[in-house]
Structures are given as structure tokens and as C-alpha cells.
Amino acid sequence: MAGTPQDPQAVPAPQTAPAPQAVPDPQTAPAPQAVPDPQAVPDRPAPQQPPDPPEPLTGLHVDPALRAVWTACGAPEPRGLAGAVVAGCGAVTAVLDGPDQVAAGDWGTVCGPGLARALRAESVEVVVVPGTDLPGLVREWLYQAAQGSGRGVHLTVTVDAPTGPDRPGADRPGAIHLLVRAIDSSAREVAMRLSSPTDPALPALRAVFGGRRIDVRDTDGPGPAARPDPAEEPVRPAERTGRT
């Protein structure tokens, strides 16, 4: 079979030229990515300063006469032990090494009669607290000394800086402030009771600290208001307060 004859006049179709590439506008083009320096040290967050440790318990007073009665009852050796008497009513504050010793016996009931005789008081209220640190001690003291009137009250403990030389080589310790507050009148009741000149509980606590200034006030009382303590706890009813 004969093939189809080609037209000698036919011209091959020209190839389509590629479209020109668009030139990016320098004003709208994205900025080039920064190349990290392999020798650069990455920024690190500044280390947080740890909170100031609680003030340690030093210089607690132990009354020799009360200690003789205390140890004769089989109670643990006290770190601090002192009392006070107001209008025939006595109060004793006993500081032991830790919660285990406090929980080992009802020392206020066991030793109360002998302590009352030693103080020549008609009755005595004994508060036994663990000696962990200063804020913890006074916080536990208030929990017990406030008794039922302390239910729902919150406590903030602040300690002043030493005020100056008391004797050569030593500083006078700063005052201890107990700020109580509540949504009702409980804080005022606690502050008025413990600050009353007829209640011996606060003088007994001061005696344990060798006469150190300690005050209790509520948020409406005199003096500068203290900042709230984020770790504050509600005051619990007394658990180991012996009354004889």
C-alpha cells in the first residue's frame, strides 16, 4: 500500500516559549530567616531566690522549779518552760522537741496540779507545743490558747528584725506579732482575750522567750496591717490544753 504523500509546503509549528518568571517585589518579599549562631549561649531564666528560712528557736527559758515538777511527772525534757500568774490564775507554756513528744502524753493534765502548786496558783492552764521553729511554735500556741473562740480564725506571724545591741556581742531579738483575722467577730474575741491583762497565757509565752515582746491583735486593731500569709491556716480548737 502506498503511503500518504507529504506536503512539501508544510511548515512545522513553532514551539511555545515559556512564560517569564515573576520578579518578587522587594517591599513585599518575606524577610530572610536569621541563622542561629552555634556558639551563642541561649538565655536562661534567672534563678529564683529561696524564701528566708524560719527563725530558729534559740534562747528559750526553762524555769528550774517548773522543770523539777515537769520531769518528776515523767514528761520529756523541755526546751522551754515558763509560767505566769494573774489574779490567782496560772498559765504554763512548755516547748518540747517535736510533735511526737507532745503527743506522747496528756502532759497538761498529768503535770498540772504540781505546776499549779509551784506557781502558787489556784488553777493553771498548760499549753504544750513542739519547738520546730519560731512561727510554728507561736502558731501552735495560739491554736491552743485561743480554745473554742479561735474557730475559723486565720493567723499571720511576723517577726521584727533585731533592734540593736542588748549586751556586748548580742542583738536584742525583734518583737513577735500575731495578727488574727476572720470574717466575723472571732478575731476580735481572740485578740481581746489573749491581750487581756487578766489572762496569764500571753505573759507565760513571753516568759518562755525570756521577756521578748509579743503582741496579739486583730485586723481592726492598732498598728500597721501585716500582709496575708499564703501559708496561713485556720485556727483549730484546742487539742492538748490542760486546765487544772
Side-chain angles (χ1 to χ4, degrees):
M1 178 183 295
T4 304
Q6 297 182 353
D7 187 358
Q9 299 296 326
V11 179
Q15 297 181 354
T16 304
Q21 298 291 330
V23 179
D25 187 351
Q27 296 182 353
T28 60
Q33 296 293 328
V35 178
D37 185 356
Q39 298 181 352
V41 179
D43 295 335
R44 297 179 180 177
Q48 297 183 354
Q49 295 294 332
D52 294 335
E55 180 176 338
L57 287 175
T58 58
L60 297 181
H61 175 66
V62 176
D63 185 291
L66 298 182
R67 178 186 174 277
V69 175
W70 184 263
T71 55
C73 297
E77 185 69 28
R79 293 186 60 184
L81 183 66
V85 180
V86 177
C89 296
V92 171
T93 299
V95 183
L96 304 183
D97 280 335
D100 293 342
Q101 290 189 344
V102 174
D106 191 357
W107 307 121
T109 302
V110 173
C111 303
L115 295 173
R117 289 191 296 269
L119 290 172
R120 298 181 180 179
E122 299 174 3
S123 61
V124 65
E125 182 178 344
V126 183
V127 174
V128 185
V129 295
T132 52
D133 54 67
L134 189 151
L137 186 157
V138 295
R139 189 184 298 273
E140 184 63 29
W141 172 86
L142 185 77
Y143 290 160
Q144 297 188 39
Q147 297 187 359
S149 60
R151 186 184 302 274
V153 172
H154 289 76
L155 170 68
T156 299
V157 180
T158 59
V159 181
D160 292 345
T163 56
D166 185 33
R167 59 185 184 277
D171 290 332
R172 181 182 298 117
I176 304 171
H177 307 286
L178 309 182
L179 180 69
V180 290
R181 56 194 180 92
I183 60 176
D184 53 18
S185 60
S186 301
R188 174 61 59 86
E189 295 174 3
V190 170
M192 290 182 64
R193 175 175 180 260
L194 296 179
S195 299
S196 171
T198 62
D199 193 301
L202 188 58
L205 179 66
R206 290 172 177 153
V208 165
F209 282 95
R212 188 170 180 176
R213 179 190 168 193
I214 304 174
D215 59 62
V216 182
R217 67 179 188 273
D218 64 287
T219 51
D220 296 329
R227 292 179 296 179
D229 183 1
E232 65 187 1
E233 301 173 354
V235 173
R236 305 165 296 180
E239 297 176 354
R240 289 196 171 272
T241 302
R243 185 89 183 185
T244 303

Tab-separated table of all heavy atoms in Angstrom, residues 99-158:
chain	number	residue	atom	x	y	z
A	99	PRO	N	6.594	17.063	117.569
A	99	PRO	CA	5.201	16.637	117.744
A	99	PRO	C	5.065	15.278	118.421
A	99	PRO	O	4.075	15.041	119.124
A	99	PRO	CB	4.674	16.608	116.300
A	99	PRO	CG	5.594	17.496	115.521
A	99	PRO	CD	6.926	17.356	116.164
A	100	ASP	N	6.025	14.377	118.210
A	100	ASP	CA	5.923	13.052	118.821
A	100	ASP	C	5.947	13.144	120.342
A	100	ASP	O	5.210	12.432	121.031
A	100	ASP	CB	7.045	12.148	118.322
A	100	ASP	CG	6.913	11.816	116.847
A	100	ASP	OD1	5.802	11.987	116.303
A	100	ASP	OD2	7.921	11.404	116.232
A	101	GLN	N	6.808	14.005	120.870
A	101	GLN	CA	6.863	14.157	122.323
A	101	GLN	C	5.597	14.818	122.855
A	101	GLN	O	5.124	14.482	123.947
A	101	GLN	CB	8.094	14.966	122.714
A	101	GLN	CG	9.414	14.245	122.501
A	101	GLN	CD	10.582	14.996	123.099
A	101	GLN	OE1	10.476	16.174	123.422
A	101	GLN	NE2	11.709	14.319	123.242
A	102	VAL	N	5.047	15.760	122.090
A	102	VAL	CA	3.809	16.407	122.523
A	102	VAL	C	2.674	15.394	122.587
A	102	VAL	O	1.866	15.385	123.529
A	102	VAL	CB	3.448	17.562	121.579
A	102	VAL	CG1	2.091	18.150	121.929
A	102	VAL	CG2	4.526	18.648	121.629
A	103	ALA	N	2.620	14.512	121.587
A	103	ALA	CA	1.528	13.537	121.506
A	103	ALA	C	1.734	12.326	122.399
A	103	ALA	O	0.839	11.479	122.510
A	103	ALA	CB	1.359	13.078	120.058
A	104	ALA	N	2.898	12.224	123.055
A	104	ALA	CA	3.198	11.034	123.846
A	104	ALA	C	2.393	10.963	125.138
A	104	ALA	O	2.310	9.896	125.753
A	104	ALA	CB	4.693	10.977	124.165
A	105	GLY	N	1.803	12.052	125.573
A	105	GLY	CA	1.033	12.043	126.806
A	105	GLY	C	0.251	13.333	126.965
A	105	GLY	O	0.542	14.342	126.315
A	106	ASP	N	-0.742	13.283	127.832
A	106	ASP	CA	-1.521	14.484	128.141
A	106	ASP	C	-0.811	15.222	129.270
A	106	ASP	O	-1.232	15.209	130.428
A	106	ASP	CB	-2.937	14.077	128.545
A	106	ASP	CG	-3.880	15.268	128.627
A	106	ASP	OD1	-3.404	16.409	128.428
A	106	ASP	OD2	-5.073	15.065	128.894
A	107	TRP	N	0.287	15.881	128.908
A	107	TRP	CA	1.179	16.438	129.915
A	107	TRP	C	0.534	17.559	130.701
A	107	TRP	O	0.863	17.762	131.884
A	107	TRP	CB	2.467	16.915	129.259
A	107	TRP	CG	3.128	15.876	128.415
A	107	TRP	CD1	3.419	15.943	127.078
A	107	TRP	CD2	3.582	14.578	128.840
A	107	TRP	NE1	4.007	14.787	126.641
A	107	TRP	CE2	4.121	13.925	127.719
A	107	TRP	CE3	3.568	13.910	130.066
A	107	TRP	CZ2	4.652	12.646	127.767
A	107	TRP	CZ3	4.092	12.624	130.124
A	107	TRP	CH2	4.626	12.008	128.984
A	108	GLY	N	-0.366	18.298	130.100
A	108	GLY	CA	-1.021	19.367	130.844
A	108	GLY	C	-1.862	18.852	131.990
A	108	GLY	O	-1.866	19.425	133.090
A	109	THR	N	-2.563	17.734	131.754
A	109	THR	CA	-3.374	17.143	132.812
A	109	THR	C	-2.519	16.442	133.851
A	109	THR	O	-2.760	16.544	135.057
A	109	THR	CB	-4.388	16.153	132.206
A	109	THR	OG1	-5.211	16.849	131.261
A	109	THR	CG2	-5.251	15.533	133.273
A	110	VAL	N	-1.482	15.735	133.397
A	110	VAL	CA	-0.631	14.970	134.310
A	110	VAL	C	0.173	15.892	135.225
A	110	VAL	O	0.273	15.657	136.446
A	110	VAL	CB	0.303	14.041	133.513
A	110	VAL	CG1	1.313	13.370	134.437
A	110	VAL	CG2	-0.508	13.005	132.745
A	111	CYS	N	0.745	16.942	134.649
A	111	CYS	CA	1.642	17.808	135.421
A	111	CYS	C	0.948	19.043	135.989
A	111	CYS	O	1.564	19.788	136.761
A	111	CYS	CB	2.809	18.261	134.541
A	111	CYS	SG	3.775	16.921	133.820
A	112	GLY	N	-0.300	19.277	135.603
A	112	GLY	CA	-0.989	20.497	136.006
A	112	GLY	C	-1.041	20.744	137.492
A	112	GLY	O	-0.705	21.854	137.955
A	113	PRO	N	-1.465	19.757	138.313
A	113	PRO	CA	-1.540	20.035	139.754
A	113	PRO	C	-0.207	20.455	140.367
A	113	PRO	O	-0.149	21.399	141.169
A	113	PRO	CB	-2.031	18.698	140.330
A	113	PRO	CG	-2.772	18.052	139.203
A	113	PRO	CD	-2.025	18.438	137.980
A	114	GLY	N	0.886	19.772	140.003
A	114	GLY	CA	2.190	20.144	140.539
A	114	GLY	C	2.636	21.507	140.059
A	114	GLY	O	3.244	22.279	140.814
A	115	LEU	N	2.343	21.838	138.795
A	115	LEU	CA	2.713	23.152	138.277
A	115	LEU	C	1.929	24.248	138.985
A	115	LEU	O	2.470	25.334	139.255
A	115	LEU	CB	2.465	23.204	136.767
A	115	LEU	CG	3.333	22.276	135.909
A	115	LEU	CD1	2.870	22.300	134.454
A	115	LEU	CD2	4.811	22.663	136.001
A	116	ALA	N	0.668	23.998	139.277
A	116	ALA	CA	-0.133	24.997	139.985
A	116	ALA	C	0.441	25.259	141.381
A	116	ALA	O	0.515	26.411	141.840
A	116	ALA	CB	-1.587	24.533	140.077
A	117	ARG	N	0.846	24.192	142.060
A	117	ARG	CA	1.443	24.383	143.381
A	117	ARG	C	2.758	25.148	143.291
A	117	ARG	O	3.044	26.015	144.133
A	117	ARG	CB	1.663	23.024	144.052
A	117	ARG	CG	0.367	22.341	144.499
A	117	ARG	CD	0.669	21.144	145.390
A	117	ARG	NE	1.407	20.103	144.659
A	117	ARG	CZ	0.826	19.100	144.010
A	117	ARG	NH1	-0.507	19.009	143.980
A	117	ARG	NH2	1.552	18.179	143.404
A	118	ALA	N	3.565	24.828	142.279
A	118	ALA	CA	4.838	25.527	142.129
A	118	ALA	C	4.635	27.009	141.835
A	118	ALA	O	5.431	27.849	142.273
A	118	ALA	CB	5.666	24.880	141.015
A	119	LEU	N	3.556	27.335	141.120
A	119	LEU	CA	3.263	28.733	140.801
A	119	LEU	C	2.445	29.417	141.888
A	119	LEU	O	2.215	30.628	141.813
A	119	LEU	CB	2.497	28.820	139.470
A	119	LEU	CG	3.268	28.476	138.201
A	119	LEU	CD1	2.317	28.422	137.000
A	119	LEU	CD2	4.373	29.491	137.934
A	120	ARG	N	1.964	28.610	142.878
A	120	ARG	CA	1.078	29.120	143.919
A	120	ARG	C	-0.162	29.741	143.297
A	120	ARG	O	-0.626	30.824	143.684
A	120	ARG	CB	1.800	30.134	144.814
A	120	ARG	CG	2.991	29.534	145.562
A	120	ARG	CD	3.659	30.554	146.463
A	120	ARG	NE	4.797	29.974	147.173
A	120	ARG	CZ	5.575	30.631	148.016
A	120	ARG	NH1	5.342	31.918	148.256
A	120	ARG	NH2	6.584	30.029	148.623
A	121	ALA	N	-0.701	29.024	142.319
A	121	ALA	CA	-1.898	29.470	141.619
A	121	ALA	C	-3.070	28.577	141.981
A	121	ALA	O	-2.910	27.399	142.309
A	121	ALA	CB	-1.667	29.438	140.104
A	122	GLU	N	-4.275	29.150	141.934
A	122	GLU	CA	-5.471	28.371	142.215
A	122	GLU	C	-5.752	27.357	141.100
A	122	GLU	O	-6.275	26.272	141.359
A	122	GLU	CB	-6.659	29.315	142.386
A	122	GLU	CG	-6.498	30.296	143.549
A	122	GLU	CD	-7.630	31.301	143.603
A	122	GLU	OE1	-8.561	31.192	142.781
A	122	GLU	OE2	-7.588	32.197	144.481
A	123	SER	N	-5.446	27.712	139.899
A	123	SER	CA	-5.623	26.829	138.746
A	123	SER	C	-4.540	27.170	137.732
A	123	SER	O	-3.907	28.235	137.803
A	123	SER	CB	-7.011	27.006	138.112
A	123	SER	OG	-7.184	28.330	137.649
A	124	VAL	N	-4.309	26.273	136.801
A	124	VAL	CA	-3.271	26.513	135.799
A	124	VAL	C	-3.716	25.941	134.463
A	124	VAL	O	-4.344	24.874	134.402
A	124	VAL	CB	-1.921	25.893	136.223
A	124	VAL	CG1	-2.007	24.375	136.293
A	124	VAL	CG2	-0.799	26.304	135.272
A	125	GLU	N	-3.438	26.671	133.410
A	125	GLU	CA	-3.694	26.225	132.042
A	125	GLU	C	-2.346	25.938	131.393
A	125	GLU	O	-1.477	26.821	131.347
A	125	GLU	CB	-4.454	27.285	131.253
A	125	GLU	CG	-4.809	26.877	129.833
A	125	GLU	CD	-5.612	27.939	129.115
A	125	GLU	OE1	-6.151	28.838	129.790
A	125	GLU	OE2	-5.689	27.874	127.880
A	126	VAL	N	-2.163	24.733	130.892
A	126	VAL	CA	-0.879	24.301	130.345
A	126	VAL	C	-1.007	24.150	128.827
A	126	VAL	O	-1.881	23.436	128.342
A	126	VAL	CB	-0.420	22.962	130.972
A	126	VAL	CG1	0.959	22.578	130.438
A	126	VAL	CG2	-0.404	23.064	132.484
A	127	VAL	N	-0.144	24.832	128.111
A	127	VAL	CA	-0.078	24.736	126.657
A	127	VAL	C	1.237	24.059	126.301
A	127	VAL	O	2.303	24.547	126.675
A	127	VAL	CB	-0.182	26.120	125.987
A	127	VAL	CG1	0.028	26.002	124.484
A	127	VAL	CG2	-1.533	26.756	126.280
A	128	VAL	N	1.171	22.942	125.602
A	128	VAL	CA	2.356	22.172	125.220
A	128	VAL	C	2.491	22.226	123.711
A	128	VAL	O	1.571	21.826	122.978
A	128	VAL	CB	2.248	20.707	125.700
A	128	VAL	CG1	3.548	19.966	125.408
A	128	VAL	CG2	1.918	20.649	127.186
A	129	VAL	N	3.618	22.737	123.220
A	129	VAL	CA	3.807	22.939	121.783
A	129	VAL	C	5.145	22.348	121.349
A	129	VAL	O	6.093	22.273	122.136
A	129	VAL	CB	3.759	24.437	121.419
A	129	VAL	CG1	2.384	25.018	121.687
A	129	VAL	CG2	4.815	25.217	122.194
A	130	PRO	N	5.258	21.916	120.080
A	130	PRO	CA	6.543	21.436	119.565
A	130	PRO	C	7.439	22.599	119.189
A	130	PRO	O	6.983	23.607	118.654
A	130	PRO	CB	6.147	20.609	118.333
A	130	PRO	CG	4.860	21.228	117.876
A	130	PRO	CD	4.161	21.719	119.107
A	131	GLY	N	8.728	22.455	119.449
A	131	GLY	CA	9.686	23.512	119.151
A	131	GLY	C	10.359	23.302	117.810
A	131	GLY	O	11.557	23.000	117.749
A	132	THR	N	9.626	23.438	116.711
A	132	THR	CA	10.205	23.275	115.377
A	132	THR	C	10.898	24.552	114.917
A	132	THR	O	12.080	24.558	114.605
A	132	THR	CB	9.109	22.866	114.386
A	132	THR	OG1	8.004	23.786	114.492
A	132	THR	CG2	8.607	21.460	114.692
A	133	ASP	N	10.160	25.634	114.851
A	133	ASP	CA	10.701	26.948	114.510
A	133	ASP	C	9.817	27.976	115.182
A	133	ASP	O	8.764	27.657	115.736
A	133	ASP	CB	10.764	27.166	112.999
A	133	ASP	CG	9.425	26.924	112.332
A	133	ASP	OD1	8.481	27.700	112.573
A	133	ASP	OD2	9.296	25.935	111.592
A	134	LEU	N	10.238	29.235	115.145
A	134	LEU	CA	9.514	30.268	115.884
A	134	LEU	C	8.094	30.462	115.368
A	134	LEU	O	7.143	30.452	116.165
A	134	LEU	CB	10.302	31.574	115.850
A	134	LEU	CG	9.806	32.700	116.755
A	134	LEU	CD1	10.958	33.587	117.175
A	134	LEU	CD2	8.734	33.538	116.074
A	135	PRO	N	7.872	30.670	114.052
A	135	PRO	CA	6.479	30.831	113.603
A	135	PRO	C	5.608	29.623	113.927
A	135	PRO	O	4.450	29.774	114.315
A	135	PRO	CB	6.619	31.038	112.086
A	135	PRO	CG	8.012	31.543	111.887
A	135	PRO	CD	8.826	30.862	112.933
A	136	GLY	N	6.166	28.417	113.768
A	136	GLY	CA	5.379	27.236	114.064
A	136	GLY	C	5.023	27.136	115.531
A	136	GLY	O	3.924	26.704	115.888
A	137	LEU	N	5.947	27.538	116.390
A	137	LEU	CA	5.685	27.467	117.830
A	137	LEU	C	4.550	28.409	118.226
A	137	LEU	O	3.587	27.994	118.882
A	137	LEU	CB	6.956	27.811	118.600
A	137	LEU	CG	6.937	27.666	120.127
A	137	LEU	CD1	8.358	27.486	120.640
A	137	LEU	CD2	6.303	28.857	120.839
A	138	VAL	N	4.653	29.676	117.837
A	138	VAL	CA	3.629	30.632	118.257
A	138	VAL	C	2.299	30.351	117.573
A	138	VAL	O	1.228	30.627	118.135
A	138	VAL	CB	4.094	32.080	117.997
A	138	VAL	CG1	5.291	32.411	118.863
A	138	VAL	CG2	4.422	32.311	116.533
A	139	ARG	N	2.334	29.787	116.364
A	139	ARG	CA	1.088	29.431	115.690
A	139	ARG	C	0.364	28.325	116.461
A	139	ARG	O	-0.837	28.404	116.708
A	139	ARG	CB	1.383	28.982	114.252
A	139	ARG	CG	0.149	28.800	113.391
A	139	ARG	CD	0.552	28.273	112.025
A	139	ARG	NE	1.412	29.218	111.319
A	139	ARG	CZ	0.954	30.198	110.558
A	139	ARG	NH1	-0.332	30.381	110.417
A	139	ARG	NH2	1.798	31.002	109.941
A	140	GLU	N	1.112	27.296	116.871
A	140	GLU	CA	0.504	26.213	117.625
A	140	GLU	C	0.061	26.697	119.002
A	140	GLU	O	-0.973	26.250	119.528
A	140	GLU	CB	1.499	25.056	117.764
A	140	GLU	CG	0.948	23.831	118.457
A	140	GLU	CD	-0.198	23.192	117.723
A	140	GLU	OE1	-0.264	23.304	116.474
A	140	GLU	OE2	-1.058	22.584	118.399
A	141	TRP	N	0.816	27.608	119.589
A	141	TRP	CA	0.414	28.167	120.878
A	141	TRP	C	-0.933	28.863	120.767
A	141	TRP	O	-1.816	28.684	121.613
A	141	TRP	CB	1.479	29.138	121.374
A	141	TRP	CG	1.059	29.908	122.604
A	141	TRP	CD1	1.193	29.503	123.898
A	141	TRP	CD2	0.426	31.184	122.644
A	141	TRP	NE1	0.672	30.460	124.746
A	141	TRP	CE2	0.191	31.499	124.002
A	141	TRP	CE3	0.034	32.102	121.665
A	141	TRP	CZ2	-0.410	32.695	124.392
A	141	TRP	CZ3	-0.577	33.281	122.060
A	141	TRP	CH2	-0.787	33.567	123.405
A	142	LEU	N	-1.132	29.644	119.722
A	142	LEU	CA	-2.398	30.355	119.564
A	142	LEU	C	-3.540	29.378	119.319
A	142	LEU	O	-4.652	29.569	119.813
A	142	LEU	CB	-2.316	31.359	118.416
A	142	LEU	CG	-3.557	32.241	118.265
A	142	LEU	CD1	-3.559	33.325	119.329
A	142	LEU	CD2	-3.653	32.858	116.893
A	143	TYR	N	-3.280	28.320	118.541
A	143	TYR	CA	-4.308	27.325	118.301
A	143	TYR	C	-4.860	26.782	119.623
A	143	TYR	O	-6.060	26.547	119.759
A	143	TYR	CB	-3.738	26.154	117.498
A	143	TYR	CG	-3.411	26.463	116.064
A	143	TYR	CD1	-2.533	25.648	115.351
A	143	TYR	CD2	-3.953	27.561	115.417
A	143	TYR	CE1	-2.224	25.927	114.025
A	143	TYR	CE2	-3.644	27.850	114.105
A	143	TYR	CZ	-2.777	27.029	113.403
A	143	TYR	OH	-2.463	27.296	112.101
A	144	GLN	N	-3.971	26.579	120.585
A	144	GLN	CA	-4.402	26.020	121.858
A	144	GLN	C	-4.909	27.095	122.818
A	144	GLN	O	-5.947	26.930	123.454
A	144	GLN	CB	-3.254	25.246	122.501
A	144	GLN	CG	-2.791	24.040	121.707
A	144	GLN	CD	-1.796	23.192	122.467
A	144	GLN	OE1	-1.922	22.998	123.667
A	144	GLN	NE2	-0.795	22.681	121.778
A	145	ALA	N	-4.188	28.193	122.920
A	145	ALA	CA	-4.568	29.226	123.883
A	145	ALA	C	-5.895	29.885	123.513
A	145	ALA	O	-6.644	30.310	124.396
A	145	ALA	CB	-3.470	30.287	123.984
A	146	ALA	N	-6.216	29.952	122.216
A	146	ALA	CA	-7.477	30.574	121.800
A	146	ALA	C	-8.676	29.713	122.145
A	146	ALA	O	-9.786	30.225	122.283
A	146	ALA	CB	-7.449	30.849	120.297
A	147	GLN	N	-8.473	28.389	122.236
A	147	GLN	CA	-9.521	27.440	122.558
A	147	GLN	C	-10.707	27.611	121.597
A	147	GLN	O	-10.533	27.857	120.420
A	147	GLN	CB	-9.940	27.586	124.020
A	147	GLN	CG	-8.801	27.260	124.984
A	147	GLN	CD	-9.239	27.246	126.418
A	147	GLN	OE1	-10.382	27.497	126.750
A	147	GLN	NE2	-8.309	26.952	127.310
A	148	GLY	N	-11.945	27.479	122.097
A	148	GLY	CA	-13.098	27.496	121.199
A	148	GLY	C	-13.306	28.814	120.489
A	148	GLY	O	-13.888	28.848	119.398
A	149	SER	N	-12.840	29.924	121.072
A	149	SER	CA	-13.045	31.217	120.431
A	149	SER	C	-12.203	31.393	119.183
A	149	SER	O	-12.382	32.354	118.442
A	149	SER	CB	-12.740	32.352	121.418
A	149	SER	OG	-11.397	32.275	121.850
A	150	GLY	N	-11.260	30.468	118.938
A	150	GLY	CA	-10.397	30.588	117.766
A	150	GLY	C	-10.893	29.866	116.546
A	150	GLY	O	-10.204	29.840	115.524
A	151	ARG	N	-12.079	29.274	116.589
A	151	ARG	CA	-12.573	28.521	115.438
A	151	ARG	C	-12.764	29.449	114.226
A	151	ARG	O	-13.438	30.470	114.310
A	151	ARG	CB	-13.904	27.839	115.782
A	151	ARG	CG	-14.408	26.912	114.687
A	151	ARG	CD	-15.769	26.366	115.053
A	151	ARG	NE	-15.728	25.649	116.321
A	151	ARG	CZ	-15.398	24.361	116.425
A	151	ARG	NH1	-15.096	23.670	115.337
A	151	ARG	NH2	-15.371	23.777	117.604
A	152	GLY	N	-12.135	29.076	113.102
A	152	GLY	CA	-12.281	29.833	111.866
A	152	GLY	C	-11.398	31.056	111.754
A	152	GLY	O	-11.453	31.768	110.754
A	153	VAL	N	-10.563	31.325	112.763
A	153	VAL	CA	-9.682	32.489	112.715
A	153	VAL	C	-8.415	32.128	111.958
A	153	VAL	O	-7.896	31.021	112.064
A	153	VAL	CB	-9.343	32.957	114.145
A	153	VAL	CG1	-8.277	34.051	114.126
A	153	VAL	CG2	-10.595	33.470	114.824
A	154	HIS	N	-7.899	33.070	111.163
A	154	HIS	CA	-6.646	32.877	110.443
A	154	HIS	C	-5.552	33.715	111.096
A	154	HIS	O	-5.811	34.794	111.626
A	154	HIS	CB	-6.793	33.267	108.968
A	154	HIS	CG	-7.635	32.305	108.193
A	154	HIS	ND1	-9.006	32.281	108.300
A	154	HIS	CD2	-7.296	31.328	107.317
A	154	HIS	CE1	-9.484	31.334	107.506
A	154	HIS	NE2	-8.478	30.745	106.907
A	155	LEU	N	-4.349	33.201	111.035
A	155	LEU	CA	-3.231	33.802	111.754
A	155	LEU	C	-2.075	34.114	110.816
A	155	LEU	O	-1.727	33.324	109.959
A	155	LEU	CB	-2.746	32.845	112.858
A	155	LEU	CG	-1.431	33.203	113.568
A	155	LEU	CD1	-1.611	34.466	114.402
A	155	LEU	CD2	-0.967	32.053	114.440
A	156	THR	N	-1.488	35.290	110.999
A	156	THR	CA	-0.255	35.681	110.320
A	156	THR	C	0.798	36.007	111.372
A	156	THR	O	0.518	36.761	112.308
A	156	THR	CB	-0.485	36.909	109.415
A	156	THR	OG1	-1.453	36.596	108.420
A	156	THR	CG2	0.822	37.314	108.719
A	157	VAL	N	1.980	35.418	111.214
A	157	VAL	CA	3.072	35.623	112.163
A	157	VAL	C	4.152	36.462	111.487
A	157	VAL	O	4.642	36.103	110.412
A	157	VAL	CB	3.670	34.287	112.641
A	157	VAL	CG1	4.808	34.531	113.628
A	157	VAL	CG2	2.591	33.410	113.262
A	158	THR	N	4.522	37.576	112.083
A	158	THR	CA	5.624	38.399	111.601
A	158	THR	C	6.599	38.632	112.745
A	158	THR	O	6.201	38.741	113.911
A	158	THR	CB	5.134	39.748	111.048
A	158	THR	OG1	4.435	40.455	112.074
A	158	THR	CG2	4.203	39.532	109.861
